[in-house]
Short mmCIF file of all heavy atoms in Angstrom, two decimals:
data_model
loop_
_atom_site.label_atom_id
_atom_site.label_comp_id
_atom_site.label_asym_id
_atom_site.label_seq_id
_atom_site.Cartn_x
_atom_site.Cartn_y
_atom_site.Cartn_z
N ASP P 364 310.66 257.79 299.47
CA ASP P 364 310.85 259.21 299.73
C ASP P 364 312.34 259.50 299.66
O ASP P 364 313.13 259.02 300.51
CB ASP P 364 310.30 259.57 301.11
CG ASP P 364 310.26 261.07 301.35
OD1 ASP P 364 311.14 261.79 300.83
OD2 ASP P 364 309.34 261.54 302.05
N LEU P 365 312.78 260.24 298.68
CA LEU P 365 314.21 260.41 298.44
C LEU P 365 314.86 261.41 299.42
O LEU P 365 316.08 261.62 299.35
CB LEU P 365 314.44 260.84 297.00
CG LEU P 365 314.08 259.78 295.96
CD1 LEU P 365 314.25 260.30 294.55
CD2 LEU P 365 314.92 258.51 296.17
N LYS P 366 314.09 261.97 300.33
CA LYS P 366 314.68 262.81 301.37
C LYS P 366 315.33 261.94 302.45
O LYS P 366 316.39 262.28 302.98
CB LYS P 366 313.62 263.71 302.00
CG LYS P 366 313.05 264.75 301.05
CD LYS P 366 311.98 265.59 301.73
CE LYS P 366 311.40 266.62 300.76
NZ LYS P 366 310.29 267.41 301.38
N ASP P 367 314.69 260.81 302.76
CA ASP P 367 315.25 259.93 303.81
C ASP P 367 315.31 258.47 303.37
O ASP P 367 315.69 257.60 304.18
CB ASP P 367 314.41 260.04 305.08
CG ASP P 367 312.93 259.73 304.86
OD1 ASP P 367 312.57 259.24 303.76
OD2 ASP P 367 312.13 259.98 305.78
N ASP P 368 314.94 258.20 302.09
CA ASP P 368 314.97 256.85 301.52
C ASP P 368 313.99 255.89 302.18
O ASP P 368 314.08 254.65 302.00
CB ASP P 368 316.37 256.24 301.56
CG ASP P 368 317.37 257.02 300.72
OD1 ASP P 368 316.91 257.85 299.89
OD2 ASP P 368 318.59 256.82 300.87
N ALA P 369 313.02 256.42 302.94
CA ALA P 369 312.01 255.57 303.54
C ALA P 369 311.02 255.09 302.47
O ALA P 369 310.73 255.79 301.51
CB ALA P 369 311.27 256.34 304.63
N ILE P 370 310.53 253.86 302.64
CA ILE P 370 309.57 253.26 301.70
C ILE P 370 308.22 253.11 302.38
O ILE P 370 308.14 252.64 303.54
CB ILE P 370 310.06 251.88 301.23
CG1 ILE P 370 311.40 251.99 300.50
CG2 ILE P 370 309.01 251.22 300.32
CD1 ILE P 370 312.00 250.65 300.11
N HIS P 371 307.17 253.54 301.71
CA HIS P 371 305.84 253.19 302.16
C HIS P 371 305.07 252.60 300.99
O HIS P 371 305.41 252.84 299.83
CB HIS P 371 305.10 254.37 302.80
CG HIS P 371 304.69 255.44 301.84
ND1 HIS P 371 305.45 256.55 301.57
CD2 HIS P 371 303.56 255.57 301.07
CE1 HIS P 371 304.84 257.32 300.70
NE2 HIS P 371 303.68 256.75 300.37
N TRP P 372 304.05 251.82 301.28
CA TRP P 372 303.34 251.06 300.26
C TRP P 372 301.95 251.65 300.03
O TRP P 372 301.25 252.03 300.98
CB TRP P 372 303.22 249.59 300.67
CG TRP P 372 304.56 248.99 300.92
CD1 TRP P 372 305.19 248.81 302.10
CD2 TRP P 372 305.47 248.52 299.91
NE1 TRP P 372 306.42 248.27 301.93
CE2 TRP P 372 306.64 248.08 300.58
CE3 TRP P 372 305.44 248.45 298.52
CZ2 TRP P 372 307.74 247.55 299.91
CZ3 TRP P 372 306.51 247.92 297.84
CH2 TRP P 372 307.65 247.48 298.53
N VAL P 373 301.58 251.74 298.77
CA VAL P 373 300.26 252.26 298.42
C VAL P 373 299.21 251.23 298.82
O VAL P 373 299.28 250.06 298.41
CB VAL P 373 300.16 252.55 296.91
CG1 VAL P 373 298.77 253.08 296.57
CG2 VAL P 373 301.23 253.56 296.50
N GLY P 374 298.23 251.67 299.61
CA GLY P 374 297.24 250.76 300.18
C GLY P 374 296.08 250.51 299.25
O GLY P 374 294.94 250.94 299.53
N LEU P 375 296.31 249.80 298.15
CA LEU P 375 295.23 249.47 297.22
C LEU P 375 294.31 248.42 297.82
O LEU P 375 294.76 247.51 298.54
CB LEU P 375 295.81 248.97 295.91
CG LEU P 375 296.58 249.99 295.06
CD1 LEU P 375 297.30 249.29 293.90
CD2 LEU P 375 295.64 251.05 294.50
N GLU P 376 293.04 248.53 297.49
CA GLU P 376 292.05 247.57 298.00
C GLU P 376 292.25 246.21 297.35
O GLU P 376 292.83 246.08 296.27
CB GLU P 376 290.65 248.08 297.69
CG GLU P 376 290.39 248.19 296.19
CD GLU P 376 289.01 248.75 295.85
OE1 GLU P 376 288.41 249.42 296.71
OE2 GLU P 376 288.56 248.52 294.73
N GLY P 377 291.77 245.16 298.01
CA GLY P 377 291.73 243.84 297.41
C GLY P 377 293.02 243.06 297.57
O GLY P 377 294.05 243.56 298.02
N ASP P 378 292.96 241.81 297.17
CA ASP P 378 294.06 240.86 297.28
C ASP P 378 295.10 241.15 296.20
O ASP P 378 294.79 241.09 295.00
CB ASP P 378 293.52 239.44 297.12
CG ASP P 378 294.58 238.38 297.34
OD1 ASP P 378 295.78 238.72 297.40
OD2 ASP P 378 294.22 237.18 297.44
N PRO P 379 296.34 241.46 296.55
CA PRO P 379 297.36 241.76 295.53
C PRO P 379 297.69 240.56 294.65
O PRO P 379 298.29 240.73 293.59
CB PRO P 379 298.58 242.18 296.37
CG PRO P 379 298.37 241.61 297.72
CD PRO P 379 296.88 241.59 297.93
N ARG P 380 297.31 239.35 295.07
CA ARG P 380 297.52 238.18 294.24
C ARG P 380 296.38 237.91 293.28
O ARG P 380 296.44 236.98 292.47
CB ARG P 380 297.77 236.92 295.09
CG ARG P 380 299.08 236.97 295.85
CD ARG P 380 299.44 235.62 296.44
NE ARG P 380 300.69 235.67 297.15
CZ ARG P 380 301.90 235.53 296.55
NH1 ARG P 380 301.95 235.34 295.25
NH2 ARG P 380 303.00 235.60 297.27
N GLN P 381 295.32 238.70 293.36
CA GLN P 381 294.18 238.51 292.49
C GLN P 381 293.92 239.76 291.64
O GLN P 381 292.83 239.92 291.09
CB GLN P 381 292.93 238.16 293.31
CG GLN P 381 293.03 236.84 294.04
CD GLN P 381 293.20 235.65 293.10
OE1 GLN P 381 292.59 235.59 292.03
NE2 GLN P 381 294.04 234.70 293.48
N ASN P 382 294.93 240.61 291.56
CA ASN P 382 294.83 241.83 290.75
C ASN P 382 296.19 242.11 290.10
O ASN P 382 297.24 241.72 290.63
CB ASN P 382 294.43 243.02 291.62
CG ASN P 382 293.01 242.93 292.14
OD1 ASN P 382 292.06 243.31 291.44
ND2 ASN P 382 292.86 242.43 293.35
N TYR P 383 296.13 242.77 288.94
CA TYR P 383 297.35 243.15 288.23
C TYR P 383 297.48 244.67 288.23
O TYR P 383 296.49 245.40 288.31
CB TYR P 383 297.30 242.67 286.77
CG TYR P 383 297.18 241.17 286.63
CD1 TYR P 383 295.99 240.58 286.18
CD2 TYR P 383 298.25 240.33 286.90
CE1 TYR P 383 295.87 239.21 286.02
CE2 TYR P 383 298.15 238.94 286.74
CZ TYR P 383 296.95 238.39 286.31
OH TYR P 383 296.85 237.05 286.16
N ILE P 384 298.72 245.13 288.12
CA ILE P 384 298.99 246.56 288.01
C ILE P 384 299.79 246.76 286.72
O ILE P 384 301.02 246.69 286.73
CB ILE P 384 299.76 247.11 289.22
CG1 ILE P 384 299.01 246.79 290.52
CG2 ILE P 384 299.97 248.62 289.08
CD1 ILE P 384 299.76 247.19 291.78
N PRO P 385 299.12 247.00 285.60
CA PRO P 385 299.82 247.10 284.33
C PRO P 385 300.43 248.46 284.02
O PRO P 385 301.17 248.61 283.05
CB PRO P 385 298.74 246.77 283.31
CG PRO P 385 297.47 247.20 283.95
CD PRO P 385 297.66 246.96 285.43
N GLY P 386 300.13 249.50 284.86
CA GLY P 386 300.67 250.82 284.55
C GLY P 386 300.65 251.76 285.73
O GLY P 386 299.69 251.78 286.50
N ILE P 387 301.76 252.52 285.92
CA ILE P 387 301.78 253.65 286.83
C ILE P 387 302.51 254.80 286.14
O ILE P 387 303.35 254.56 285.27
CB ILE P 387 302.47 253.33 288.18
CG1 ILE P 387 303.96 253.00 287.95
CG2 ILE P 387 301.77 252.21 288.92
CD1 ILE P 387 304.74 252.83 289.25
N GLN P 388 302.17 256.04 286.51
CA GLN P 388 302.86 257.18 285.92
C GLN P 388 302.64 258.41 286.79
O GLN P 388 301.58 258.57 287.41
CB GLN P 388 302.39 257.45 284.50
CG GLN P 388 300.95 257.92 284.40
CD GLN P 388 300.39 257.88 283.00
OE1 GLN P 388 299.67 256.95 282.64
NE2 GLN P 388 300.70 258.91 282.21
N TRP P 389 303.65 259.26 286.86
CA TRP P 389 303.52 260.52 287.58
C TRP P 389 302.81 261.56 286.71
O TRP P 389 303.11 261.70 285.54
CB TRP P 389 304.91 261.07 287.95
CG TRP P 389 305.64 260.24 288.98
CD1 TRP P 389 306.67 259.38 288.74
CD2 TRP P 389 305.39 260.23 290.38
NE1 TRP P 389 307.07 258.79 289.92
CE2 TRP P 389 306.31 259.30 290.96
CE3 TRP P 389 304.49 260.88 291.22
CZ2 TRP P 389 306.36 259.04 292.31
CZ3 TRP P 389 304.52 260.61 292.59
CH2 TRP P 389 305.45 259.71 293.13
N VAL P 390 301.88 262.28 287.32
CA VAL P 390 301.27 263.44 286.69
C VAL P 390 302.07 264.69 287.09
O VAL P 390 302.43 265.51 286.25
CB VAL P 390 299.79 263.61 287.11
CG1 VAL P 390 299.20 264.86 286.48
CG2 VAL P 390 299.01 262.37 286.70
N HIS P 391 302.33 264.81 288.38
CA HIS P 391 303.27 265.81 288.89
C HIS P 391 303.91 265.21 290.13
O HIS P 391 303.71 264.01 290.43
CB HIS P 391 302.59 267.15 289.16
CG HIS P 391 301.38 267.10 290.04
ND1 HIS P 391 301.44 266.80 291.39
CD2 HIS P 391 300.05 267.28 289.76
CE1 HIS P 391 300.23 266.83 291.90
NE2 HIS P 391 299.35 267.11 290.94
N ASP P 392 304.67 265.97 290.85
CA ASP P 392 305.50 265.39 291.91
C ASP P 392 304.71 264.80 293.07
O ASP P 392 305.25 264.02 293.84
CB ASP P 392 306.47 266.45 292.44
CG ASP P 392 307.82 265.86 292.76
OD1 ASP P 392 308.42 265.24 291.86
OD2 ASP P 392 308.28 265.97 293.93
N ASP P 393 303.43 265.15 293.16
CA ASP P 393 302.63 264.62 294.27
C ASP P 393 301.34 263.97 293.79
O ASP P 393 300.33 263.97 294.49
CB ASP P 393 302.31 265.75 295.27
CG ASP P 393 301.90 265.23 296.65
OD1 ASP P 393 302.30 264.10 297.00
OD2 ASP P 393 301.18 265.95 297.36
N LEU P 394 301.38 263.44 292.57
CA LEU P 394 300.21 262.71 292.06
C LEU P 394 300.67 261.59 291.13
O LEU P 394 301.34 261.84 290.12
CB LEU P 394 299.26 263.64 291.31
CG LEU P 394 298.00 262.98 290.73
CD1 LEU P 394 297.16 262.34 291.85
CD2 LEU P 394 297.16 263.97 289.97
N LEU P 395 300.31 260.38 291.49
CA LEU P 395 300.64 259.18 290.73
C LEU P 395 299.37 258.52 290.24
O LEU P 395 298.44 258.28 291.03
CB LEU P 395 301.43 258.21 291.61
CG LEU P 395 301.94 256.93 290.94
CD1 LEU P 395 303.13 257.25 290.05
CD2 LEU P 395 302.33 255.89 292.02
N LEU P 396 299.31 258.22 288.94
CA LEU P 396 298.19 257.44 288.40
C LEU P 396 298.55 255.96 288.46
O LEU P 396 299.66 255.56 288.10
CB LEU P 396 297.89 257.82 286.95
CG LEU P 396 297.39 259.24 286.68
CD1 LEU P 396 297.11 259.40 285.19
CD2 LEU P 396 296.13 259.55 287.50
N ILE P 397 297.61 255.14 288.92
CA ILE P 397 297.81 253.70 289.05
C ILE P 397 296.68 252.99 288.32
O ILE P 397 295.51 253.20 288.65
CB ILE P 397 297.83 253.27 290.53
CG1 ILE P 397 298.93 254.03 291.29
CG2 ILE P 397 298.04 251.76 290.63
CD1 ILE P 397 298.90 253.78 292.80
N GLN P 398 297.03 252.16 287.35
CA GLN P 398 296.05 251.34 286.66
C GLN P 398 296.02 249.94 287.30
O GLN P 398 297.06 249.30 287.41
CB GLN P 398 296.40 251.20 285.18
CG GLN P 398 296.46 252.52 284.44
CD GLN P 398 296.88 252.34 283.00
OE1 GLN P 398 296.25 251.61 282.23
NE2 GLN P 398 297.97 253.00 282.60
N ARG P 399 294.85 249.52 287.69
CA ARG P 399 294.73 248.19 288.33
C ARG P 399 293.63 247.39 287.64
O ARG P 399 292.54 247.90 287.35
CB ARG P 399 294.40 248.32 289.82
CG ARG P 399 294.79 247.05 290.59
CD ARG P 399 294.51 247.19 292.05
NE ARG P 399 295.28 246.27 292.84
CZ ARG P 399 294.87 245.76 294.01
NH1 ARG P 399 293.69 246.11 294.50
NH2 ARG P 399 295.63 244.94 294.70
#
């Protein structure tokens, strides 16, 4: 969050070591597409 530089993590389901994230992209300022 560039207002206060705080970081939060997207809570995707499943083990992060058993899944890949090959793509992310913004649609608009409050919507992110995540390919898993």
Side-chain angles (χ1 to χ4, degrees):
D364 189 327
L365 294 176
K366 294 179 182 178
D367 57 10
D368 296 345
I370 299 175
H371 71 266
W372 302 98
V373 179
L375 292 170
E376 63 182 21
D378 185 349
R380 291 192 179 276
Q381 296 298 321
N382 291 276
Y383 299 109
I384 304 175
I387 63 173
Q388 67 193 99
W389 292 103
V390 178
H391 53 69
D392 218 56
D393 199 25
L394 180 60
L395 183 74
L396 295 182
I397 302 173
Q398 300 178 58
R399 202 179 201 210

